[in-house]
Amino acid sequence: MTATRSAPTGGPATRAILLTALAPVSWGTTYAVTTELLPPDRPLFTGLMRALPAGLLLLASAGVLPKGAWWWKAAVLGALNIGAFFPLLFLSAYRLPGGLAAVVGSVGPLFVAGLAGPLLGRRPTARTLLTGMVAALGVSLVVLKAAGALDPLGVAAALASTASMSTGTVLTKRWGRPEGVGPLALTGWQLTAGGLLIAPLALFVEGAPPALDAPAVGGYLYLALVNTALAYCLWFRGMGHLSATQVTFLGPLSPLTAAVLGWAALGETLTPLQLAGMVLAFGATVAGQLAPAPRRKASWRTGAASDTAGRERDAPVSA
């Protein structure tokens, strides 16, 4: 049996975690930028402006196009991580009250734990499942507010967006990257594919693009360059250095960042219950980085060569 490389320890591991964590922290600024700078009621256009310009920029910078099977793999990952995720996320945010979309999104670690068995051959541990439930509870205390009846379409969209991103995360770990291709190119492929999927939907549902003033232009530039191009490069880079569980447990940093930013910059208040939720969610995020990797099933693939390659690709490596 070929030995699996151990998880990175010390400085390289911490650096990989901190760099990857910058992605959900950046995504936590999306709500403030959208509400303060961008034209209202244009969620699909906003998703398009986040994805397609960033994808084309990264494609031009990397100068590498997919080859062979990676044409369809990039399309699948782009659809899951961007093309389906963005519209479903915006739909749920517009139809659900009081941050419920963020609460549903916080169960992403549980989705990943469930998918890791059939797709990565990793059985979720009780510790991982418990930590995932604590993270969801903490986020719910931070963002969930009492408000009317739930919208079934909004709940379905929130669940679908979480499932889409979780599946994309696990498949990204399973497929890895082609030889000689870095995270810049892989990110560009996915953002471009996702943006091309969103473009006709935005035109059909929302019509022609709105007129943009200077704040809106600045907001879209920030979303495209920092919130999307840079953030997703760090996110997909992190998938090559951390386990899928570690990466997905960084997700709760997004609603936590949004809550802190709302308090610091938008004059919103934080109750003691919300502060307790922040402690729980942040603690679960840290615990998700410390949890040992679950044991792999011996039969998740057939053939010794494929099994060895899968173990080495899924094992975290040092930065």
Side-chain angles (χ1 to χ4, degrees):
M1 180 178 294
T2 303
T4 303
R5 286 177 288 176
S6 60
T9 57
T14 302
R15 183 166 64 250
I17 291 170
L18 292 177
L19 285 174
T20 309
L22 291 176
V25 168
S26 172
W27 298 333
T29 67
T30 304
Y31 175 78
V33 171
T34 300
T35 56
E36 298 300 312
L37 300 178
L38 304 185
D41 301 324
R42 303 304 294 261
L44 293 175
F45 178 74
T46 297
L48 174 63
M49 292 299 290
R50 285 185 66 186
L52 192 56
L56 294 175
L57 175 64
L58 293 180
L59 273 183
S61 300
V64 179
L65 292 177
K67 294 181 181 179
W70 269 98
W71 280 105
W72 69 264
K73 288 183 179 180
V76 169
L77 293 178
L80 291 170
N81 290 322
I82 308 296
F85 175 67
F86 278 6
L88 289 168
L89 180 68
F90 284 127
L91 176 62
S92 65
Y94 270 75
R95 299 185 70 96
L96 292 180
L100 184 58
V103 175
V104 177
S106 69
V107 303
L110 299 178
F111 274 85
V112 168
L115 291 168
L119 295 179
L120 297 180
R122 295 179 178 270
R123 295 176 179 174
T125 64
R127 177 176 175 176
T128 297
L129 296 176
L130 178 59
T131 305
M133 289 186 284
V134 171
L137 173 61
V139 171
S140 69
L141 293 178
V142 174
V143 302
L144 191 58
K145 299 180 177 65
L150 299 183
D151 181 88
L153 179 59
V155 173
L159 287 171
S161 68
T162 302
S164 179
M165 185 67 167
S166 299
T167 305
T169 297
V170 176
L171 284 179
T172 301
K173 283 297 300 180
R174 178 180 173 87
W175 289 339
R177 294 196 303 265
E179 185 71 25
V181 173
L184 196 71
L186 183 64
T187 305
W189 298 348
Q190 294 187 53
L191 288 172
T192 302
L196 291 175
L197 286 175
I198 297 174
L201 182 62
L203 183 62
F204 177 77
V205 174
E206 297 178 351
L212 303 179
D213 55 16
V217 171
Y220 282 126
L221 283 174
Y222 168 79
L223 289 182
L225 298 178
V226 178
N227 186 269
T228 303
L230 177 59
Y232 272 94
C233 278
L234 292 173
W235 187 252
F236 292 130
R237 175 189 179 275
M239 290 184 191
H241 296 271
L242 304 170
S243 71
T245 300
Q246 285 178 298
V247 171
T248 194
F249 267 112
L250 294 173
L253 292 177
S254 180
L256 295 185
T257 300
V260 171
L261 188 60
W263 167 76
L266 303 181
E268 298 176 1
T269 59
L270 290 174
T271 66
L273 192 61
Q274 286 177 302
L275 293 175
M278 285 184 173
V279 172
L280 282 176
F282 186 76
T285 297
V286 173
Q289 310 312 307
L290 302 176
R295 290 185 297 177
R296 301 174 58 84
K297 293 179 183 177
S299 59
W300 78 282
R301 283 186 178 183
T302 59
S306 295
D307 187 59
T308 299
R311 284 197 301 268
E312 291 181 352
R313 182 179 63 244
D314 295 333
V317 296
S318 60

